[in-house]
Amino acid sequence: MNERIGFSNKPTFAMKALLHSRTMVEKEGYVATGVLAHAEGEMMEIELTEFKNFELGEPVSLTVYSPVGIHRLQSTIIAKAEGSIAVIFPVRSLAGLDEKRESPRIDIEARGTISRTYSQEVESSKGEKLTIEATDSFDIELRNISNTGIGFSLMSPPTLANGDILMTSLSLGFKLECKIEIIRKDDGSEWKFYGARFQELDEQQQRALRAYLLRMQIEAYFKLKQEKASAKKSR
């Protein structure tokens, strides 16, 4: 036997290998079969003619019959639309998935503030050197958000630089207050766009952010489906 310790011979697969696979959705006393149509971030969509027989919040068992094997997962109904249901994507249950998955970047319109603290040395009337700290705050317009960071617009000035660490307070239906690090910037004529990475989110903040992202992802995805359906009907 010539197997190397610490290495697995089990094949891996990409998420797209599961798309369009026949999927069985089972709850207590009832089973229906549909097609796995979409999987991204924290959400999976299953096209299902019997979607009305499932309720929001119901736990379900999923069996995905894919070209890369049969996968059995436990999940929960989180949304319904005409002809489909959405369930939480239990990515950790998919043994062999070779993609590192993060929540997608979601376009939003929300507000927040950023603040930065700086120090300055001054000389007192007695000739002593004193250090004075001051804080500047600025309003920002959020443009997108993910579980790792935000994109925002800021009226110039001020000018921020890559690597700057700032405090931020974001209005997302709840207050998210944390540090961010500027990782990129795009200069405009009047507004400047910045990309920033979250720093040191605690467990409670991570849960609240994950719930927010999931809700926004569901709303955006099903809004797009409705727009596409309306466009087809108008042709």
Side-chain angles (χ1 to χ4, degrees):
M1 191 170 178
N2 200 20
E3 187 173 336
R4 296 174 63 188
I5 296 175
F7 291 84
S8 173
N9 292 325
K10 187 172 182 178
T12 59
F13 60 89
M15 186 63 236
K16 63 183 179 180
L18 300 182
L19 297 181
H20 314 300
S21 296
R22 183 168 62 92
T23 302
M24 186 171 68
V25 185
E26 182 178 2
K27 65 176 184 176
E28 187 175 355
Y30 186 79
V31 178
T33 300
V35 173
L36 179 59
H38 178 82
E40 184 179 29
E42 301 280 343
M43 185 191 80
M44 300 172 69
E45 184 202 18
I46 300 165
E47 293 180 346
L48 198 68
T49 56
E50 300 96 332
F51 69 98
K52 292 182 179 179
N53 294 328
F54 294 89
E55 301 298 331
L56 296 181
E58 276 190 327
V60 291
S61 298
L62 308 175
T63 305
V64 182
Y65 297 91
S66 77
V68 290
I70 299 173
H71 299 271
R72 294 182 174 85
L73 312 168
Q74 300 297 317
S75 190
T76 304
I77 306 292
I78 53 176
K80 294 198 303 181
E82 186 68 30
S84 67
I85 60 173
V87 301
I88 291 176
F89 182 10
V91 64
R92 293 180 181 177
S93 300
L94 281 172
L97 183 64
D98 66 357
E99 295 181 354
K100 180 181 178 182
R101 303 192 63 80
E102 294 181 348
S103 293
R105 184 178 300 173
I106 299 169
D107 292 333
I108 61 170
E109 293 182 4
R111 295 181 179 273
T113 60
I114 57 171
S115 59
R116 59 182 179 181
T117 301
Y118 59 93
S119 60
Q120 182 178 3
E121 281 195 352
V122 298
E123 189 172 320
S124 71
S125 58
K126 296 180 179 180
E128 298 174 332
K129 288 188 176 181
L130 303 174
T131 300
I132 298 177
E133 287 194 345
T135 300
D136 286 338
S137 294
F138 306 93
D139 294 329
I140 61 173
E141 300 281 343
L142 265 67
R143 301 305 183 193
N144 59 64
I145 187 169
S146 73
N147 64 350
T148 57
I150 56 173
F152 65 91
S153 294
L154 175 65
M155 193 80 124
S156 56
T159 298
L160 307 176
N162 288 352
D164 282 356
I165 303 295
L166 309 165
M167 288 298 300
T168 186
S169 177
L170 308 178
S171 299
L172 304 174
F174 68 100
K175 284 289 185 185
L176 179 62
E177 298 181 341
C178 64
K179 292 180 181 179
I180 57 172
E181 178 187 0
I182 302 300
I183 57 175
R184 70 183 183 92
K185 65 177 182 177
D186 296 320
D187 293 332
S189 56
E190 184 177 12
W191 289 82
K192 296 179 184 293
F193 179 84
Y194 294 91
R197 181 186 295 116
F198 291 128
Q199 301 285 309
E200 302 173 0
L201 293 181
D202 61 32
E203 187 176 343
Q204 184 176 354
Q205 289 174 317
Q206 290 175 10
R207 285 199 302 266
L209 178 59
R210 180 184 176 191
Y212 173 79
L213 290 170
L214 181 57
R215 183 173 70 253
M216 297 302 293
Q217 184 188 358
I218 292 169
E219 290 178 3
Y221 180 70
F222 281 104
K223 180 181 179 182
L224 180 61
K225 281 178 64 73
Q226 291 173 354
E227 290 174 351
K228 288 181 177 179
S230 298
K232 286 182 179 180
K233 289 180 181 178
S234 62
R235 289 177 184 173

